[in-house]
Amino acid sequence: MTLIKKILQNAQEYPDYIILCDSMKPNGITYKELDIMSGKVYAYLKSMGIGKEDFVMLNLPRGIQPLIALVGVLKAGAAFVLVEDNYAPERIEYIRKDCSCKIQIDSETWEKILTVSPLEGAEETDEHDAAFAVYTSGTTGNPKGVLHEFGNLDRMVESIHMTTCDQLATQKDRFALVSPLNFIASLLITVYAFYYVSRMYVVPYNVVKNPMKIAFFIVKNQITGTFLTPSHIRKMKSKPPQLKFCIIGSEPANEVFLQDLIIHNFYLMSESGFAVTHFLIDRKYEATPVGNSEFGHEIFLLDEKGNPVQDGEEGEICFENKYVRGYLNLPELTAEAFRDGLYHTGDLAIKTEDNQFVIVGRLSDMVKINGNRVEPGEIEGVAKKVLGIDWAAVRIFDEGRQIFICVYYTASINVDFEETREEMAKYLPYYMLPSYFIHIDSVPIRPNGKMDRKALPKPDIKSYMAEYRAPTNETEKALCEAFQKVLDIEPVGIDDDFYLLGGDSLSSMDVLVESKLKNLSIADIFAGHTPARIANIYLEKQLSGDSESDDEKEEAARNETFLLTPFQTYMFDYQMYTPLSTMWNVNSLYRFDKSLLNIEKLAEAMNRTIKAHPAFATVFSFNEEGDLVQSYKPEILEPVRIEKLSEFEFDELKNGFVAPFKILNSRLYRAKLYETEKWGYMFFDVHHTLFDGTSSKILMQDIVKAYCDMPLETDYFYLTLKEHQSAIGTGDYERDKLYFEEKYKDKENYSRRPKIDFDSRENTLGRVFGEMQEYAPKIERIKRKYNITGNAFFSLVSMLAVAVYNKDPHVLISWTYNGRDDLKKFSTVGLLLCDLRLAIELSRSMPVKNLYEDVQNQILAGIEHYKYPYTMIGANVVKDDGLCFLYQEDLRDTSEEMKELKIEEVEIRHNKAASENLIDIEVLDGSDGLELMIEYNASCYKEKSMNDFRDLFLVITECLIDIYGDENANIHQLIKAVYKKYRMPSLLMGWLR
């Protein structure tokens, strides 16, 4: 059955089966929707008079749209040519003209197509009608198009089905489409998925170039099969869960193997369309075979005269290719490549004793770079255009570990390497950009009068090496050694340029691994180029420049004992104020689908993650001097085990999960994993003295990483404690102390919270909420206009609310800063928060814009001086409590990765809750927009008072929005507007000076 007939049949038999997914349609479209939408394309094309032998260019964003469109084109009996939307415009225009494109389907056309009624069925086609063209790098300076007929669509399916000895994928399988959509491998997999009704995910651009992101994409979308280049497989350290099989091709697969992963090595190219040979990789091979034909077509190894070679001798691979017409508008090239009824691949191979073909080289100059076909002629054409010269030649060197491109020229010009590469990038894909530009005096010529490309000199790498300077520190030494290992050049000095020595984006990833420098990034390598400059960039990012690594410092710090930080002490004291409460319990319960996540593997991921974060192994105790201290005790860690119970039992038990902690000499976390007949559940409860909101995000992200077998960043919690303790009494510490004392000491008698209704020793929790979604876009305008943050805006609203509520122009509050001020702390689970001061003194004539500026400046200055814990030193719980403001992501929002894995949070009751402060205001900025939450001590405030205060907060927000654009608006106007909206008599404004 032909492909189109099979698609029409599948739409009838499997109408509700999800067939295509992408980032815009993560839930996918059904086979019926594919049939309807492609029917719209068919109808549109027919109305435009498009039919057999007419070319349609598909120029749509990467995703499912181009794949739907190509089905519509085939239904119309026409031919498609697919271009990537990130192609240079000049390349797209050339292809459009070369294939005599009758119509282009782009985003604008797509909108028109969606309004058309779909046409059922499809046009009758012959197996030799034009079906599609694949454009690949050409020798003429432009890409060349290979014209395929409809018969090759069916041959694609047959070749995969037969070469794998059985159906490769079933309806339970999910493909990930990683390679460019216009690659023959992508078309082959797409055709196969449509034929056998296998769900396919189009991987977005921001993922395809990052092996780590590809691995995560595979996990989160439960991918069971994909096509990858051998280069991608080599970057993987282990098989991602759920991935069963992988098709590879497009370049040599030497040394490619992953345990427990079925790897099919296919030999195919743009000129074949189908899988010519297949080899199932069972181990690492020094020279991995491409296999042999397994579905009936014959393969020949021919010598230069077209005669079969003797057994064991190398020859050119040739095979019959009856559904490919050749190259569009290139008759001479077609005649050369397609002759005597065979396609001559240009690949040299030998046949082993067990009848397997092994590729040993190329007859021509074309090579594969990271799986991409590269013809020197195309690069030459662009080089001549960019440099404004008449002659240029290109030679590509394959050095095993690296492949680099050289441009040669004879003109007397000066070439700026970086500028020329940037200009050539406007016309060429990144993998075709040259590494070297070499001036030669004359062109090497062969006896037949043609250029001898192989005589073009290999760049003398040493001529690009700077005068040797030895490393001056351990960082430079690590970089030099990494360069040497990755580039296979020595000795590398600290002034040698990585990219001039043949480095590229892929090999720079190897430098990260080989250097073993914590937090070194590809961006650092790209920005610095040389070990000296990269080391300088790297060391500037580190807290100190000594030779001991942060990992070593962290390891040493875990053997020491540290006083609790002032914030931890404050929380400890508050816990003692309400000892049996769960006021500082930070807890979360997550539910997940057991069919998507392996619960045993998740338990392993939880254990690995907990072990990676030393805060979980932290114990509080009193030392001999009676000081409260914390120390690292990994022996207290308790492995997470799976507890099985019924869904009914779980519902009965879950509201008892959150309980008070024994805070001294005890483990301060709980981690559980439950399995019911329906779901899996993951529970965490951690005491706030060791955990903050950002910690929760880091923890869950790391569990997902661990589940995906990805490396976890080192957690520097104890190094952070040591740095904080070591800073006490230093010059910076005293400078920070002086700032806060001079700025706020005479303001401690300002209004610090809404006036309380009752004096009470009791501590009960109250909460009120306010919706602010509609304010978000308007607040964004204010932030842009006055160059302030959301934190500054809502901190000001909080202070104005206290001022109006108390009728006092002087206000002092605290705001919470997450304390993560360098890269080390981005992976740290621990309480790194600190409270910083903000104060205002209102007057009638004060411009509102000046108030914005003042608050923003106080916030920035507070962050600069935050190492002195001004608000916490000597603070008395309850007595010294003031309003504390926090602007943060909504912690109820799960991370993007968790959403993709369908891990969702479940509400559980917070037993024995108590207030953490007299009053806290939190603005939560989450996926559902802005939400206001006010937590307060319900023993000190009436619920009505807090509802009034919340309403006042919202009214002030509205009034600030209303006066947006009025540069002359002052505090008097603002407060007057607030009183009017809040329905308060204006005579109360006497408090405002």
Side-chain angles (χ1 to χ4, degrees):
M1 185 180 293
T2 66
L3 173 67
I4 291 301
K5 287 182 179 179
K6 183 66 171 172
I7 288 175
L8 294 173
Q9 178 181 303
N10 288 342
Q12 296 298 316
E13 294 184 5
Y14 310 103
D16 299 324
Y17 185 82
I18 303 297
I19 190 69
L20 286 175
C21 305
D22 64 10
S23 57
M24 298 301 292
K25 290 269 188 181
N27 295 323
I29 63 167
T30 63
Y31 217 125
K32 187 63 178 176
E33 289 171 321
L34 168 64
D35 186 45
I36 292 171
M37 294 172 75
S38 61
K40 288 175 177 284
V41 176
Y42 172 23
Y44 178 80
L45 293 176
K46 193 164 185 178
S47 71
M48 301 295 287
I50 301 299
K52 289 186 178 183
E53 300 296 319
D54 290 332
F55 264 103
V56 179
M57 174 177 279
L58 306 181
N59 185 9
L60 291 161
R62 181 179 175 86
I64 65 176
Q65 287 182 2
L67 305 185
I68 295 168
L70 74 82
V71 175
V73 174
L74 296 176
K75 282 184 175 182
F80 68 83
V81 60
L82 204 159
V83 296
E84 291 280 321
D85 60 336
N86 64 349
Y87 269 17
E90 292 83 357
R91 190 180 181 89
I92 293 175
E93 180 61 17
Y94 175 84
I95 293 173
R96 187 186 68 79
K97 290 180 179 178
D98 188 60
C99 69
S100 300
C101 170
K102 290 288 183 69
I103 192 170
Q104 177 175 251
I105 297 180
D106 53 20
S107 294
E108 187 177 336
T109 314
W110 188 258
E111 293 301 318
K112 296 176 184 177
I113 289 172
L114 294 179
T115 65
V116 175
S117 297
L119 194 59
E120 294 184 357
E123 299 293 319
E124 287 294 329
T125 56
D126 182 81
E127 61 182 5
H128 288 296
D129 288 334
F132 63 94
V134 177
Y135 274 79
T136 185
S137 181
T139 59
T140 62
N142 290 305
K144 59 187 179 188
V146 186
L147 179 54
H148 295 255
E149 297 171 340
F150 270 83
N152 235 11
L153 295 171
D154 305 315
R155 211 173 187 195
M156 285 181 175
V157 177
E158 185 185 5
S159 71
I160 294 189
H161 182 82
M162 296 299 292
T163 54
T164 54
C165 305
D166 197 356
Q167 188 170 320
L168 181 65
T170 68
Q171 290 181 27
K172 294 181 180 179
D173 286 304
R174 299 181 177 196
F175 275 111
L177 197 57
V178 179
S179 52
L181 299 185
N182 63 327
F183 274 28
I184 200 66
S186 295
L187 292 175
L188 182 141
I189 288 177
T190 300
V191 166
Y192 187 88
F194 286 159
Y195 199 95
Y196 286 110
V197 200
S198 298
R199 187 180 304 187
M200 189 162 65
Y201 290 74
V202 182
V203 182
Y205 280 130
N206 65 334
V207 172
V208 295
K209 293 181 183 178
N210 187 320
M212 190 72 77
K213 287 186 177 181
I214 290 174
F216 178 72
F217 185 93
I218 287 170
V219 171
K220 75 178 181 181
N221 292 295
Q222 306 295 298
I223 300 300
T224 56
T226 188
F227 176 91
L228 296 173
T229 64
S231 297
H232 276 121
I233 296 287
R234 290 187 188 100
K235 296 295 180 184
M236 289 185 176
K237 302 301 181 186
S238 61
K239 179 185 82 71
Q242 289 87 36
L243 190 65
K244 297 191 307 185
F245 63 91
C246 184
I247 299 170
I248 64 173
S250 301
E251 67 182 43
N254 303 337
E255 301 294 329
V256 168
F257 179 72
L258 273 182
Q259 197 68 41
D260 300 323
L261 180 65
I262 299 170
I263 303 178
H264 300 279
N265 187 23
F266 280 5
Y267 176 58
L268 71 163
M269 65 287 296
S270 299
E271 290 84 355
S272 72
F274 59 90
V276 181
T277 66
H278 161 262
F279 181 75
L280 188 63
I281 299 178
D282 57 347
R283 58 181 174 85
K284 282 189 177 182
Y285 289 85
E286 213 173 291
T288 304
V290 295
N292 205 331
S293 168
E294 296 175 11
F295 79 111
H297 69 285
E298 193 169 1
I299 300 174
F300 304 91
L301 285 185
L302 305 180
D303 62 21
E304 291 181 358
K305 295 180 180 179
N307 300 315
V309 300
Q310 297 296 317
D311 289 346
E313 292 183 1
E314 64 180 50
E316 181 185 12
I317 295 182
C318 303
F319 56 88
E320 168 269 339
N321 207 355
K322 61 183 177 180
Y323 297 120
V324 174
R325 296 184 192 173
Y327 302 110
L328 284 166
N329 306 314
L330 297 169
E332 292 182 4
L333 193 59
T334 298
E336 182 182 338
F338 298 84
R339 61 184 188 269
D340 304 323
L342 299 175
Y343 170 62
H344 291 247
T345 65
D347 285 326
L348 291 174
I350 59 171
K351 201 171 186 180
T352 63
E353 291 181 357
D354 56 351
N355 210 32
Q356 305 295 322
F357 289 102
V358 178
I359 307 293
V360 295
R362 284 287 298 173
L363 280 174
S364 72
D365 301 303
M366 187 277 288
V367 297
K368 296 287 185 72
I369 298 181
N370 299 327
N372 301 290
R373 179 169 174 167
V374 177
E375 290 279 7
E378 186 172 357
I379 305 171
E380 289 168 356
V382 173
K384 287 189 285 187
K385 181 176 182 178
V386 168
L387 294 172
I389 57 180
D390 296 326
W391 184 89
V394 166
R395 186 178 175 190
I396 303 169
F397 293 88
D398 186 345
E399 300 294 303
R401 289 182 65 92
Q402 61 188 105
I403 300 175
F404 53 87
I405 300 169
C406 297
V407 170
Y408 301 84
Y409 60 96
T410 55
S412 298
I413 57 173
N414 292 319
V415 179
D416 184 306
F417 290 5
E418 290 305 314
E419 282 187 15
T420 306
R421 279 169 55 86
E422 287 177 14
E423 190 63 25
M424 292 180 73
K426 297 177 182 178
Y427 305 93
L428 297 171
Y430 72 94
Y431 58 81
M432 292 174 68
L433 296 177
S435 300
Y436 301 98
F437 296 84
I438 300 172
H439 179 270
I440 56 176
D441 295 324
S442 59
V443 181
I445 302 295
R446 292 192 303 208
N448 62 7
K450 293 184 178 181
M451 178 185 71
D452 186 355
R453 194 179 300 274
K454 291 184 177 179
L456 291 169
K458 179 181 176 180
D460 179 6
I461 302 298
K462 293 190 175 179
S463 70
Y464 291 90
M465 300 179 80
E467 184 177 345
Y468 181 77
R469 279 208 303 148
T472 61
N473 55 49
E474 291 300 316
T475 305
E476 290 178 347
K477 181 181 178 184
L479 287 165
C480 287
E481 290 175 352
F483 278 25
Q484 289 176 181
K485 192 166 185 179
V486 171
L487 300 175
D488 197 20
I489 300 170
E490 61 179 32
V492 171
I494 62 173
D495 297 321
D496 287 319
D497 189 304
F498 179 69
Y499 296 98
L500 283 182
L501 299 185
D504 58 19
S505 57
L506 274 177
S507 53
S508 63
M509 294 179 67
D510 294 328
V511 171
L512 300 186
V513 176
E514 297 296 341
S515 69
K516 298 181 175 61
L517 293 174
K518 181 69 178 175
N519 292 328
L520 180 69
S521 70
I522 291 176
D524 297 336
I525 298 171
F526 183 78
H529 284 228
T530 70
R533 292 200 297 267
I534 297 169
N536 188 50
I537 292 169
Y538 176 78
L539 291 172
E540 283 182 357
K541 295 195 309 184
Q542 310 307 303
L543 193 63
S544 64
D546 55 59
S547 59
E548 188 180 19
S549 71
D550 286 337
D551 285 13
E552 291 170 327
K553 292 177 185 177
E554 170 66 23
E555 191 67 30
R558 292 181 189 182
N559 295 316
E560 300 181 42
T561 298
F562 298 97
L563 297 172
L564 268 63
T565 67
F567 208 148
Q568 287 177 311
T569 302
Y570 174 82
M571 286 185 172
F572 180 89
D573 289 347
Y574 227 117
Q575 184 74 71
M576 295 302 100
Y577 178 76
T578 318
L580 298 180
S581 75
T582 55
M583 60 187 299
W584 293 123
N585 289 52
V586 182
N587 54 80
S588 52
L589 176 64
Y590 297 98
R591 182 173 65 194
F592 58 90
D593 187 337
K594 294 191 299 179
S595 67
L596 295 179
L597 292 178
N598 181 294
I599 196 165
E600 287 81 11
K601 187 170 179 60
L602 184 58
E604 293 173 6
M606 290 173 68
N607 285 320
R608 179 182 162 202
T609 303
I610 289 169
K611 188 176 180 181
H613 295 288
F616 289 107
T618 296
V619 172
F620 293 164
S621 61
F622 286 104
N623 63 15
E624 293 180 356
E625 289 75 32
D627 297 319
L628 192 59
V629 296
Q630 54 194 317
S631 52
Y632 179 64
K633 303 288 184 183
E635 61 271 18
I636 69 161
L637 295 177
E638 183 178 73
V640 176
R641 296 183 176 88
I642 302 166
E643 299 183 30
K644 295 188 177 183
L645 62 171
S646 70
E647 191 71 22
F648 175 80
E649 290 172 322
F650 181 81
D651 284 338
E652 289 291 306
L653 293 172
K654 71 178 182 182
N655 287 321
F657 288 172
V658 181
F661 282 104
K662 179 187 174 184
I663 200 165
L664 289 173
N665 300 305
S666 181
R667 187 171 59 251
L668 293 175
Y669 80 93
R670 302 180 184 100
K672 302 286 185 180
L673 195 54
Y674 300 94
E675 181 180 11
T676 71
E677 66 275 16
K678 281 186 175 182
W679 304 97
Y681 293 91
M682 178 169 49
F683 172 72
F684 274 97
D685 190 13
V686 191
H687 200 274
H688 205 348
T689 48
L690 293 174
F691 208 75
D692 56 27
T694 306
S695 297
S696 182
K697 294 282 185 181
I698 295 168
L699 173 67
M700 298 314 299
Q701 287 168 355
D702 277 4
I703 288 174
V704 173
K705 283 183 182 178
Y707 185 87
C708 297
D709 293 323
M710 296 180 183
L712 303 183
E713 300 289 333
T714 303
D715 186 318
Y716 297 103
F717 178 60
Y718 273 83
L719 176 56
T720 300
L721 291 175
K722 183 167 186 175
E723 288 171 349
H724 283 183
Q725 188 163 298
S726 300
I728 297 173
T730 63
D732 287 345
Y733 185 86
E734 293 300 322
R735 181 205 62 178
D736 293 350
K737 176 182 178 181
L738 183 63
Y739 164 78
F740 283 112
E741 289 183 345
E742 289 184 348
K743 184 73 177 177
Y744 298 109
K745 199 163 188 178
D746 62 348
K747 298 179 176 61
E748 291 297 328
N749 61 344
Y750 281 17
S751 283
R752 296 177 54 186
R753 58 182 179 251
K755 292 177 180 176
I756 61 174
D757 297 316
F758 313 106
D759 282 320
S760 173
R761 175 66 175 73
E762 298 300 313
N763 184 7
T764 55
L765 177 65
R767 280 178 176 165
V768 295
F769 296 90
E771 299 295 326
M772 297 193 297
Q773 288 93 331
E774 62 184 279
Y775 299 154
K778 298 171 184 176
I779 292 170
E780 285 299 317
R781 291 189 308 173
I782 293 173
K783 288 161 58 178
R784 287 194 299 269
K785 180 178 178 65
Y786 295 106
N787 195 28
I788 61 171
T789 61
N791 184 34
F793 178 83
F794 287 112
S795 293
L796 176 57
V797 174
S798 301
M799 289 187 282
L800 289 171
V802 172
V804 174
Y805 191 91
N806 290 350
K807 297 183 282 295
D808 187 343
H810 304 92
V811 178
L812 174 72
I813 68 167
S814 298
W815 70 278
T816 302
Y817 171 54
N818 75 8
R820 286 169 171 82
D821 61 334
D822 66 49
L823 293 175
K824 290 199 307 294
K825 298 173 186 174
F826 289 174
S827 56
T828 298
V829 165
L831 181 71
L832 304 188
L833 301 177
C834 58
D835 275 0
L836 302 173
R837 285 290 195 231
L838 287 174
I840 57 172
E841 182 178 349
L842 303 177
S843 65
R844 288 173 176 263
S845 61
M846 177 186 292
V848 173
K849 64 180 181 181
N850 288 9
L851 201 55
Y852 282 134
E853 182 181 359
D854 178 40
V855 172
Q856 183 66 45
N857 287 340
Q858 287 187 63
I859 286 174
L860 294 176
I863 294 172
E864 182 184 352
H865 299 282
Y866 87 97
K867 289 183 174 62
Y868 178 72
Y870 175 74
T871 61
M872 291 298 168
I873 287 187
N876 296 306
V877 298
V878 182
K879 178 182 177 183
D880 292 333
D881 278 0
L883 184 148
C884 185
F885 173 75
L886 175 62
Y887 178 80
Q888 68 175 0
E889 292 180 355
D890 191 341
L891 296 181
R892 295 168 297 181
D893 278 356
T894 55
S895 68
E896 178 187 349
E897 295 84 358
M898 291 175 64
K899 288 178 181 176
E900 294 289 350
L901 290 173
K902 301 192 182 329
I903 301 174
E904 56 184 4
E905 189 161 11
V906 178
E907 293 288 341
I908 54 173
R909 190 164 58 234
H910 204 301
N911 299 306
K912 299 182 181 180
S915 173
E916 299 172 0
N917 200 346
L918 279 177
I919 179 169
D920 286 337
I921 297 178
E922 296 185 21
V923 171
L924 309 175
D925 191 352
S927 57
D928 295 329
L930 296 170
E931 183 179 14
L932 172 67
M933 180 173 72
I934 300 177
E935 290 189 343
Y936 62 94
N937 187 334
S939 301
C940 297
Y941 287 105
K942 300 176 184 176
E943 184 177 0
K944 180 183 181 304
S945 298
M946 288 296 96
N947 282 329
D948 289 343
F949 186 74
R950 174 206 53 208
D951 294 344
L952 180 57
F953 186 99
L954 296 176
V955 165
I956 291 171
T957 301
E958 290 176 10
C959 290
L960 285 170
I961 290 171
D962 289 343
I963 64 172
Y964 166 80
D966 184 354
E967 288 289 328
N968 299 315
N970 59 32
I971 296 299
H972 180 264
Q973 292 170 266
L974 173 66
I975 302 300
K976 186 175 180 180
V978 170
Y979 272 42
K980 185 175 181 180
K981 277 199 175 194
Y982 199 56
R983 295 188 176 89
M984 296 173 68
S986 58
L987 59 89
L988 294 177
M989 286 185 66
W991 61 270
L992 186 62
R993 297 184 292 105

